[in-house]
Every structure is written in structure tokens, then in C-alpha cells.
Amino acid sequence: MTLKPSPRIADFVDEQRLWRRHMDMAAIGAIGTDGVNRQALSREDIAARCMLIEWAHRRGYRVETDSIANLFVVRPGRNNTLSAVATGSHIDSQPSGGRFDGIYGVLAGFEALECLDDAGVETDRPIAVVAWTNEEGSRFAPSTMGSSVFAGARQLDDFLNVTDSGGAPLHAALATTLDSMAVDATYTVAPPLKAYIEAHIEQGPVLEARGIDIGVVTGIQGVRWFEIEITGRSAHAGTTPKANRSDAMAAAIDAINRVRLAIEDGDERTRFTIGRMEVVPNSPNTIAEIVRFTIDLRHPDAVELETYANAIRSICDAGAGPCGISCRELLSQPPCSFPELMVDTVESAATSLSLSTIRLPSGAMHDALFLASICPTSMIFVPCRNGVSHNPAEFAEPSHLANGARVLVETLVKLANNEQ
Ligand code: GLV
Ligand code: MN
Ligand code: MN
């Protein structure tokens, strides 16, 4: 007689349920057939939060929020005086985003909680699934507001008067969100945490190209955001002679070219993006009075990142001909490495499930970057099609999403039972 092996906890991960939840979330803020526009603290973000809260209440989990509307779904442990193990990611999306960036980490975490219920497993420590507020920073800059405030790296007050492109202040959007969620604001999930693990689609091409199931993330490259504002004088495009022009657009193009030259690297490890540009008055036949643009600069090496950031500052300090120029730094986060023990824990959970793994750093920013400053942290990546992200075409296979959730639940149980 052959004995049937007893089921593993990860066997209770329900691929179809996890996929359905993604599609339910994708219906909120849907654009076109596949895209999502669910920017931070918008009506769509609130609707998605409320749906998660309803699912959580149906399962009997505790739901909490904090002053910046981070949303916590907590499955109690045997000893709730012990610090929680947390997982999660973000519900907000880019304006032209996909169905998986961020929301996957929240739903994989929720699937892990449901899986533990279905398997009848208790853990020593509570496990919290967190939806961090405004990870993307596309509506209210900078990004990762919720996790940076939670980790104590930034203060809520730093952000309250930030406005979106329509002039709406963050404090008003935050108040509406907190009111609409109507959940307990006396939160119990607070630093110190025992550990944090975030699941995410890779957002790059490596796992798919190499046919690997799970990316075990070793750290996150550093990022700096700048907002450059160039001020000239608006005047008639056809009648104003060269000597009389204070052309903010000409000065902006010149500054951008100088920056691009200064950050040219041989090994192409630097990432440099100007993703937003505003022109005032933005008329074809008027010389631009103001050009405002953002720089997103990333590098895995802290020293090189600093060198390139200094180059941007020096170029601004050198002036912009007849125009004024100012440079405001919106975000400065050095690269981080996740602790070896956490990386090992994720890797061995994947290996125990016979999933193939590679170790890789994250090119994208994640809430895990801030969590890493307050507790042992790591991340789990799953493949996404063609490495495409921040695009409606973003796609991840249901089976790959489920694999990541399996690794996540096994890792969470180990951490919540102090087995590593
Ligand atoms: C988040 O999506 C980031 O990497 O900026
Ligand atoms: Mn993300
Ligand atoms: Mn993103």
C-alpha cells in the first residue's frame, strides 16, 4: 500500500480564485480591454480598497488603517502580542497601467491568508496584508508615500499639501479615502515588524526569457527624483528677435542635453527618464514661459547614483542663459540589499516546492525599499510577458501568479512561526 503524501500548505493556494480576484480588481478603473487607471486616492483606488475590505470582512479578518490610509488586513496569530509578519504591495496604478503591478502583491498576500484558513493552519504571529498608499507617485509625487511614512523615513506632514495636476491637495483626497473606507484607525500593525515579504511581477524580461518560475530578489536599486523648473518670458513666436527671447523651452532642451551627456555610462547601468513635462502657456505660437519636467534617475550603486545626482545639480546651478532654473529633489533613496537570511528563506521555500529560481536585483522601486530599513525584508518575483509593465499590455500567467503565492505562503508561515 502506498501512503498518499499529506498536503502541503501551499497546495491550498487556489489559482482560479487568485486570478478571479485580479480580474475583479481590474474591472475597477479599467481602460480599454486590458489597462487600468487606478491612481492613488482616486475614486477607483477607494472602490478597490472597499472591495478588499469586504472580502476581508467575509473571512473575519481584522481591518485597520493609519494616518496615511495604508490598509492592513490582519489574520490573528496564536500570540497577538508578538510583532506581525507583513506582506503586501499597492493598489494604485499608473495612469496607463496594467492589471498586475502592485495589486498582485496585495492579492497574493490575501490568497496566502485564505490558504491558511483553508488548510486549517494557525501561526504564532499575526500576519498582515498591507496595501501601501500611493506607491506609484503618478498622481501625487513622490512615490512610496505610505511605506515611507510607516517606516518613519518621511512624515505625513511632508505630503499633505502636495497637489495633483488638477490642483487637488493630498490632504483632501486622503480624508475622503479614510472616510470611505470606514475602518478602524487605531492600528495594531506598527513597527517593529518581524519581517516583510513582497510579491510582485518582475516588470522586466529576465525570468520569462530564461524560463524561471521565481525570482528571489536580492535588493532594489537606488532612485532619485528631481523636478526642474525653467522660467523664461512668454512672447510672440514670430516677431521676437533672438536677442529678446527668454525661451524656457530652448533652455530646457539645452539642460536636458547636458544632463544626458553627463550621465552617459559605459556599462548602461544608469536609468534616466524624463516622464513628465509641462509647458506654460503651451501654445504653438507663443515662446514658452515655464517648462517644468521631472527626472527619474536610478542606479544600483550608491556612489555612482550620488555622482550622477550631483551632476544634475551642478548643471542646474550653472544657470540657463537668460532664463531662471530651479531644481527640487522629490525623492532620494539609496539602493538596498536584502538580508541573506531572508533571501535564503524565500529561495528554500521555492526550492521545496520544486520551483526553479534565480537571484536578481529589482530595477523597479517597491515599498519593500522602505520596509527594508525597519525589518528583515525580501521579495518574490514572478515572470511577466515580454517584461512589459506600466503599460496596459502587462500580463502574467495565472499559474505563475499562483506559484508566487505558494512561495509566499510557505515563507510567511516560516517567519510567523519563527522557523528561520
Ligand atoms: C514604481 O513603479 C517605480 O519603480 O517607480
Ligand atoms: Mn509596483
Ligand atoms: Mn509601478
Side-chain angles (χ1 to χ4, degrees):
M1 190 181 80
T2 51
L3 283 176
K4 253 175 77 186
S6 53
R8 298 167 303 193
I9 298 170
D11 294 336
F12 288 85
V13 164
D14 183 336
E15 179 180 316
Q16 261 141 45
R17 175 173 64 193
L18 180 59
W19 182 255
R20 218 172 33 244
R21 293 214 188 284
H22 278 86
M23 295 307 107
D24 288 347
M25 282 290 180
I28 302 175
I31 48 168
T33 50
D34 294 333
V36 168
N37 179 1
R38 203 171 46 227
Q39 292 185 78
L41 308 177
S42 63
R43 209 164 350 117
E44 294 77 20
D45 183 10
I46 292 171
R49 287 161 175 265
C50 290
M51 191 156 78
L52 180 66
I53 292 166
E54 192 192 317
W55 293 341
H57 283 152
R58 262 194 244 149
R59 279 281 185 174
Y61 302 140
R62 202 172 64 237
V63 182
E64 308 173 353
T65 189
D66 62 10
S67 59
I68 192 158
N70 291 318
L71 180 60
F72 304 88
V73 173
V74 188
R75 184 178 189 267
R78 274 186 286 260
N79 183 348
N80 293 302
T81 62
L82 293 174
S83 53
V85 173
T87 183
S89 193
H90 56 101
I91 285 178
D92 66 311
S93 80
Q94 288 285 314
S96 179
R99 295 173 291 174
F100 305 94
D101 175 4
I103 193 69
Y104 170 56
V106 175
L107 295 180
F110 195 76
E111 179 62 36
L113 300 193
E114 294 193 290
C115 167
L116 291 173
D117 284 356
D118 296 348
V121 170
E122 284 191 322
T123 54
D124 289 338
R125 294 171 183 273
I127 300 178
V129 177
V130 194
W132 303 106
T133 294
N134 188 26
E135 191 274 349
E136 295 288 6
S138 55
R139 180 179 177 203
F140 295 107
S143 62
T144 50
M145 281 187 184
S147 50
S148 64
V149 168
F150 182 85
R154 300 294 297 265
Q155 301 303 311
L156 175 63
D157 282 356
D158 298 345
F159 301 135
L160 287 176
N161 293 318
V162 171
T163 53
D164 69 9
S165 59
L170 183 126
H171 62 78
L174 193 57
T176 308
T177 304
L178 288 167
D179 278 357
S180 311
M181 292 197 302
V183 296
D184 195 347
T186 53
Y187 58 98
T188 58
V189 180
L193 298 176
K194 160 72 177 167
Y196 177 72
I197 299 280
E198 180 166 346
H200 208 284
I201 59 165
E202 182 201 342
Q203 305 181 279
V206 177
L207 296 177
E208 183 186 55
R210 295 177 57 175
I212 303 280
D213 300 314
I214 296 292
V216 180
V217 185
T218 53
I220 301 180
Q221 70 175 342
V223 55
R224 309 282 283 257
W225 277 15
F226 298 94
E227 184 181 78
I228 316 285
E229 184 171 291
I230 299 190
T231 315
R233 193 175 52 248
S234 64
H236 197 290
T239 61
T240 314
K242 205 167 172 190
N244 293 14
R245 287 179 177 240
S246 291
D247 183 339
M249 181 57 84
I253 291 168
D254 190 44
I256 290 168
N257 283 335
R258 277 182 289 146
V259 169
R260 284 175 67 86
L261 220 63
I263 60 155
E264 201 61 55
D265 63 353
D267 54 10
E268 290 183 33
R269 291 203 302 160
T270 313
R271 301 273 187 262
F272 169 82
T273 306
I274 295 176
R276 171 176 291 158
M277 184 174 272
E278 295 165 69
V279 182
V280 179
N282 205 23
S283 165
N285 49 355
T286 297
I287 293 167
E289 177 166 346
I290 298 172
V291 174
R292 204 176 288 124
F293 61 93
T294 53
I295 293 179
D296 176 309
L297 175 75
R298 307 194 191 201
H299 203 285
D301 182 88
V303 175
E304 289 192 56
L305 182 64
E306 183 67 20
T307 304
Y308 293 131
N310 288 340
I312 291 173
R313 285 197 176 286
S314 317
I315 285 165
C316 294
D317 289 347
C323 299
I325 181 166
S326 68
C327 172
R328 198 157 65 94
E329 184 148 16
L330 301 177
L331 179 69
S332 171
Q333 201 53 34
C336 79
S337 296
F338 297 145
E340 194 62 25
L341 188 58
M342 291 296 286
V343 174
D344 283 348
T345 306
V346 170
E347 196 170 54
S348 61
T351 307
S352 75
L353 296 167
S354 305
L355 296 168
S356 55
T357 62
I358 50 166
R359 293 183 172 210
L360 79 180
S362 173
M365 171 97 163
H366 297 287
D367 295 301
L369 187 57
F370 284 98
L371 272 293
S373 67
I374 56 163
C375 68
T377 293
S378 186
M379 292 188 72
I380 299 165
F381 276 175
V382 297
C384 61
R385 187 189 284 161
N386 298 326
V388 169
S389 187
H390 285 192
N391 184 311
E394 186 180 273
F395 184 78
E397 292 292 344
S399 59
H400 292 161
L401 299 173
N403 280 340
R406 291 186 186 103
V407 176
L408 179 65
V409 73
E410 293 287 342
T411 308
L412 288 171
V413 168
K414 282 208 165 55
L415 294 165
N417 288 337
N418 293 329
E419 285 164 10
Q420 67 73 27

